[in-house]
Amino acid sequence: MASSHTQQSSSSEDEDEMDLDNRPESGPLARPSTTVGNDGALAVVVRDANNWLQNIRSLREADVVILLTPVVVPISPDPTDLSDPFEPLGRSLARRHSRIRQVPYTRRNGITSTHLGFIKRGHIIILCFALRPGEQVPLEFADITFAVSDNKPCIIVVCCSPIDAAQVIPFPTVIQTAGYSPPALESTAALIFGEQPAAQLGQSLDQPRLWPVDQWNEARDLSSVLELWNQNINGRFTLDHQTLASLLRRPGYAKHYVVRDNRTGAVLGICATYLAYVDKEGEKLIASLAILLVRSTHRQLGIGLSLHSHAVSQLKRTRGVIRLQLGSTFPRILYGPPSDIQFNEEWFRRRGWQLNKDVPGQGQSTYDLLLDFGKWRYNDHSSPTKPVFRLCTQEDMATVLEMVENTSARQGRMGWFDQYASLMNIPNVKDIVLGIEDDNIIATALTYTPSCGSPIPSNLPWAGRIGDDVGGVTCICISQSPRGPVMTGLLNACIENLRSQGMRRMFIDGVAGGLDTFKQLGFEEWARYRDVWKDT
C-alpha cells in the first residue's frame, strides 16, 4: 500500500498491496527538538562511508526509491488528524524524484516478506526509524533490509529527540533528524538530494570512512592480515606468514576483500572466500565464507556488515554456486565457527545463518580428532569375506572419482570430489587408500604427510602445524551400510600407510558423528566447530 502522495506506475511491479496493522505504536514520543547539528540543522549526516548519497542524487528517471516508514503516533495538535506523520517525507522526496514508493511497517511485525519484495525491486532503499527517548535502534530491522538490498544503496534515517550518543549504528549511510515533525522530514529530503550542506552532529562522531570494500592485495595486505588473524584467532589456530600466504593464495578459486584504514593502509577487516567444485562436470560449486575478521578497535562500525554483504553478493552471482558455507571446505582454514573462540552468533543469525541446531548446516557439532598410534585400539577380525585394503593406482581413478562423487553428494560432503581429482595423473595417487569387496571399491580415504608433495596438505594446514610427525586422513567415503566395520578397517590401513612414512600420529578433520566410537579407538578431540551452511 503506497501513500497517496507517491506517483503510481502502471507497471506490474507497482501493483502490490500490503495487509498492514495500521494501529499506531503506543507510548508517547518526545517533542521534536529544534536543533540537531552544530548550526541548528534539523537533519544531519552521521555517516556516508560508501558515498551512497551520491547515488540518490543521480537517479535515473526509471529508478525506484523504496521508502520504509514506521507506523507511529501522529504529532499534530489536531486530535482529528490521523494522517501518516511520514507523509511530508514522502511528498518532499516525490517532488524531487517521480518514483517514490512509501511502504509502512509496524514495530510489532517488522520487515515482512512483503517488504522484502519491494526492497528487492527498488534501486535505493530508505529505512526510517522513530525512536522514543532512550530507545535503541532495532538493528535487526536494518540488518534484514541491508542484507536483502544486495548491496544497493541503503540509507538509514533515525528520527529521535534527544539524540542518543551511546548507541553506535553500524551502517554505512546514516542520517539523523530532530524527530519526525514536517520541517525535520522536509529538511531530511533536501539533505538527501544535496540541496543543503551536510551538517555535523553536535557530539563527537569523528569516525573514519572505513566501509569501501577493496580486493585484497597480497604484497600490501598479508602482514596486516596475519596480525589481524593472530589477534582474533589464537592458541591452536595460530598461523605463520608462510602458511597464511599459502592458504589465501588460490588463483582462480579465491577472492578476498578488505577494508583499509584510509590514513595508514592497515587492514581493519577481511573477508576471505573460496570456490570448490562438487562434480566432475565442473558445473556445481560450493562457496565458502572462510574468514570474516574485524580489528577489535573498529567493531560495531559497519565494517563486518559491509564485507559480509559484498562477499555474499559476489558469491551468489557466481554461476554454478549451489551452497554457501560459513567456514571453509578446502582450503580448510576453519571448518566452521570454533566452539572455543568468541563468536557473535546473533549477528550471523540476523544474516540468515542458522547456528543453534544439532543438524547438518544449522550448527551440528563437527570435530577434528588426533590419534597417537600408541593408543590405537583395533581388533582385526579379518576373514576371506571381509573387505581388503590397498593403495590406489591410476587405473582405479575413474571408478574412485565416480564413487566419491556419488557418495559425497549423498552424504552432503561437498568439495571432496575436487580433492580426489587433484591427485589424478600424479604419483600421489598412492596416497588414496581403498577398501575392496568382491572386486568393487566400497571405501576410500585420502592420506597425507607434511612433506608428501601432494596438494592435499596445503589445503589442510593443522596436521602439519601440530607436528612434523603428524599425518592426516580426510574425505572418507564409504558406500555401504553398516559403515562401522569398514571404517575401522579403513582407518587401520591409513595408519599403516602413514606409519610406513615415519608418522607417529594421525589427524582426522570434519568428523560429524560417531565421536564416542572414535574415542574408544583411541582418538582425542583436538577442535570442535559448528557445521553451518545454506543452499542458494
Side-chain angles (χ1 to χ4, degrees):
M1 179 176 65
S3 295
S4 60
H5 60 264
T6 58
Q7 179 169 327
Q8 301 299 309
S9 167
S10 60
S11 67
S12 60
E13 74 169 12
D14 286 336
E15 293 173 357
D16 300 66
E17 292 189 355
M18 299 180 61
D19 180 16
L20 286 171
D21 174 6
N22 284 309
R23 290 172 294 177
E25 307 291 341
S26 61
L29 284 111
R31 290 181 59 84
S33 170
T34 56
T35 61
V36 172
N38 289 333
D39 59 357
L42 295 175
V44 299
V45 175
V46 175
R47 183 184 309 118
D48 186 26
N50 288 349
N51 292 318
W52 277 345
L53 289 175
Q54 291 299 323
N55 293 75
I56 201 169
R57 294 163 188 171
S58 57
L59 283 168
R60 297 170 299 180
E61 183 178 351
D63 289 347
V64 177
V65 177
I66 303 299
L67 175 62
L68 303 174
T69 57
V71 176
V72 293
V73 176
I75 57 176
S76 170
D78 182 357
T80 65
D81 183 1
L82 300 179
S83 62
D84 179 1
F86 277 88
E87 280 192 16
L89 179 58
R91 284 196 301 267
S92 295
L93 293 172
R95 286 197 297 269
R96 294 165 170 86
H97 182 71
S98 61
R99 305 197 69 188
I100 306 294
R101 298 302 313 276
Q102 182 179 350
V103 188
Y105 71 89
T106 65
R107 183 65 178 264
R108 185 183 68 185
N109 295 326
I111 304 301
T112 68
S113 59
T114 305
H115 296 94
L116 300 183
F118 280 97
I119 293 168
K120 290 178 180 179
R121 293 198 299 272
H123 298 85
I124 305 284
I125 316 300
I126 302 176
L127 173 61
C128 299
F129 297 110
L131 305 184
R132 302 176 182 90
E135 186 178 18
Q136 298 283 289
V137 173
L139 293 179
E140 64 275 15
F141 295 179
D143 283 345
I144 293 170
T145 302
F146 191 49
V148 174
S149 69
D150 199 21
N151 217 35
K152 299 170 188 173
C154 185
I155 300 164
I156 305 298
V157 177
V158 181
C159 305
C160 62
S161 177
I163 296 168
D164 182 1
Q167 185 181 24
V168 175
I169 307 169
F171 294 92
T173 302
V174 180
I175 292 174
Q176 199 156 50
T177 78
Y180 54 90
S181 66
L185 295 179
E186 289 164 2
S187 179
T188 300
L191 182 63
I192 287 173
F193 277 90
E195 297 171 6
Q196 66 183 44
Q200 297 300 310
L201 286 180
Q203 72 268 21
S204 175
L205 285 171
D206 184 20
Q207 297 170 331
R209 296 160 61 91
L210 303 172
W211 297 272
V213 176
D214 296 326
Q215 295 256 4
W216 107 295
N217 179 291
E218 180 177 342
R220 176 180 179 180
D221 298 327
L222 183 60
S223 295
S224 189
V225 170
L226 178 62
E227 177 190 6
L228 179 59
W229 172 274
N230 286 329
Q231 284 178 355
N232 286 270
I233 312 292
N234 47 37
R236 74 193 68 197
F237 297 115
T238 299
L239 291 172
D240 59 24
H241 190 280
Q242 181 178 354
T243 304
L244 180 61
S246 172
L247 291 169
L248 293 176
R249 191 185 302 132
R250 292 290 191 278
Y253 294 88
K255 283 190 176 181
H256 312 316
Y257 307 100
V258 297
V259 169
R260 300 187 184 93
D261 188 310
N262 285 348
R263 296 160 295 180
T264 67
V267 172
L268 302 178
I270 181 171
C271 184
T273 70
Y274 297 93
L275 298 172
Y277 286 113
V278 174
D279 57 358
K280 60 178 177 289
E281 287 81 13
E283 296 180 354
K284 297 178 181 179
L285 295 165
I286 179 172
S288 296
L289 197 77
I291 301 173
L292 181 58
L293 296 175
V294 176
R295 205 171 285 271
S296 59
T297 54
H298 290 75
R299 290 176 185 162
Q300 295 186 333
L301 295 175
I303 297 174
L305 183 64
S306 297
L307 287 166
H308 180 277
S309 298
H310 182 82
V312 170
S313 174
Q314 294 299 311
L315 293 174
K316 285 184 175 180
R317 292 172 183 165
T318 303
R319 181 179 177 273
V321 170
I322 62 173
R323 176 180 290 181
L324 299 177
Q325 179 186 10
L326 186 59
S328 58
T329 303
F330 299 104
R332 176 70 48 74
I333 299 178
L334 296 173
Y335 187 94
S339 62
D340 57 351
I341 291 178
Q342 186 177 3
F343 179 72
N344 191 339
E345 181 175 331
E346 177 62 21
W347 192 93
F348 283 92
R349 186 194 64 78
R350 294 201 304 264
R351 284 152 187 85
W353 302 99
Q354 181 69 53
L355 302 103
N356 61 356
K357 297 182 180 179
D358 193 23
V359 295
Q362 299 185 33
Q364 181 183 42
S365 292
T366 305
Y367 305 87
D368 290 342
L369 305 176
L370 187 63
L371 172 73
D372 186 315
F373 290 163
K375 298 180 180 179
W376 175 237
R377 295 188 287 271
Y378 170 69
N379 295 318
D380 184 4
H381 299 296
S382 60
S383 70
T385 61
K386 293 283 180 75
V388 296
F389 300 94
R390 64 171 175 82
L391 303 184
C392 184
T393 67
Q394 289 293 348
E395 289 73 23
D396 297 316
M397 280 302 287
T399 304
V400 167
L401 292 178
E402 181 178 1
M403 183 261 190
V404 168
E405 181 180 13
N406 294 334
T407 305
S408 59
R410 190 166 59 249
Q411 297 175 356
R413 299 298 185 179
M414 295 188 171
W416 287 8
F417 175 86
D418 213 13
Q419 298 303 296
Y420 279 90
S422 70
L423 302 186
M424 190 81 166
N425 299 321
I426 65 173
N428 291 95
V429 68
K430 67 181 184 301
D431 292 336
I432 302 174
V433 177
L434 305 179
I436 312 290
E437 187 174 74
D438 297 330
D439 295 327
N440 295 316
I441 298 174
I442 63 166
T444 67
L446 288 174
T447 65
Y448 59 93
T449 65
S451 57
C452 66
S454 160
I456 304 302
S458 68
N459 286 329
L460 295 159
W462 303 121
R465 298 292 295 170
I466 295 169
D468 293 337
D469 64 343
V470 180
V473 59
T474 188
C475 301
I476 298 173
C477 287
I478 299 176
S479 63
Q480 68 175 35
S481 296
R483 301 172 73 242
V486 178
M487 173 69 83
T488 53
L490 184 66
L491 289 175
N492 189 66
C494 291
I495 290 171
E496 292 178 355
N497 185 37
L498 293 173
R499 198 197 303 267
S500 70
Q501 299 176 67
M503 301 295 103
R504 297 181 180 180
R505 293 179 287 174
M506 184 170 75
F507 182 86
I508 298 183
D509 63 279
V511 175
L515 180 63
D516 290 341
T517 299
F518 279 95
K519 287 185 174 181
Q520 291 170 8
L521 292 170
F523 286 90
E524 297 179 353
E525 179 181 324
W526 185 79
R528 181 186 307 183
Y529 314 89
R530 280 181 280 184
D531 179 37
V532 182
W533 47 265
K534 52 186 177 182
D535 294 327
T536 58

